[in-house]
Amino acid sequence: RPAFVLSKFIGAIPAVVVAMVGLPGVVARFVLQQAADNGDTEYTAHEVIDLISNASSRSEFTALPGMARYAGLLGLIATLLALVVAVMILLGCLIRVRSAVFGLGIAIPIGMLLVGTLAPDVIAKLTPGWLFASIIDSIDSNPAPLLAPMIVTMLWTVGILGSAAWSFSRMEL
């Protein structure tokens, strides 16, 4: 039975990564490269948030990250998506109502990210939100730890999958 949970996870990850990170990442890279080639300005993640909230224009320029760094950032985002898939699989083992699985499957990882970005550093470094904050800092060209937050997120994913396998093995079919 635990192999069934793992097979669901392994089967879902390629489709989720390609659909939610791979294709949009390639298109975004192409669009950003065209903007850089045309001399259009690009903004950091925090500046985009400021632009949206203030609706004002800026003239600061941030260079497009190199292809290796860009691919690495997409890989980190894929790690966060693996956590979301694991949460949905766990919820699928615990809850019979599909709409609740979907709603909670989105709400719980967002809550984990918010706790990681809003909590004190001691707590934040124990959540996947640490990886999210590190990705944002890295996009802003700030030095940010990436390996340790990625390991924390992977440990959460493995723990959640272990919980799902345990829950599924105790379930009566």
Side-chain angles (χ1 to χ4, degrees):
R1 285 187 183 212
F4 179 75
V5 171
L6 188 58
S7 70
K8 284 285 195 185
F9 179 74
I10 291 172
I13 288 297
V16 169
V17 168
V18 168
M20 298 181 80
V21 178
L23 295 176
V26 169
V27 171
R29 177 66 185 198
F30 176 75
V31 170
L32 292 173
Q33 188 64 53
Q34 292 300 315
D37 292 345
N38 293 334
D40 296 334
T41 58
E42 297 176 42
Y43 301 98
T44 64
H46 293 293
E47 290 171 339
V48 170
I49 293 169
D50 288 342
L51 282 172
I52 292 170
S53 63
N54 296 332
S56 63
S57 63
R58 298 182 186 263
S59 61
E60 299 169 7
F61 179 75
T62 300
L64 186 64
M67 191 54 121
R69 183 169 170 226
Y70 186 79
L73 290 171
L74 290 180
L76 294 174
I77 293 169
T79 303
L80 286 173
L81 282 174
L83 174 76
V84 173
V85 170
V87 167
M88 287 205 178
I89 290 172
L90 173 63
L91 291 171
C93 291
L94 297 174
I95 303 171
R96 295 277 185 213
V97 181
R98 288 186 184 185
S99 58
V101 169
F102 179 73
L104 290 173
I106 298 297
I108 289 173
I110 289 174
M112 292 171 88
L113 295 178
L114 288 175
V115 166
T117 55
L118 300 176
D121 279 348
V122 174
I123 296 171
K125 290 185 177 179
L126 299 174
T127 68
W130 188 23
L131 181 60
F132 182 70
S134 294
I135 290 170
I136 297 296
D137 284 341
S138 183
I139 290 171
D140 279 347
S141 299
N142 296 329
L146 295 175
L147 182 62
M150 185 177 72
I151 291 171
V152 167
T153 303
M154 291 172 131
L155 288 173
W156 271 91
T157 303
V158 168
I160 290 170
L161 284 174
S163 298
W166 177 79
S167 173
F168 190 73
S169 67
R170 296 185 44 91
M171 189 184 318
E172 301 240 356
L173 294 178

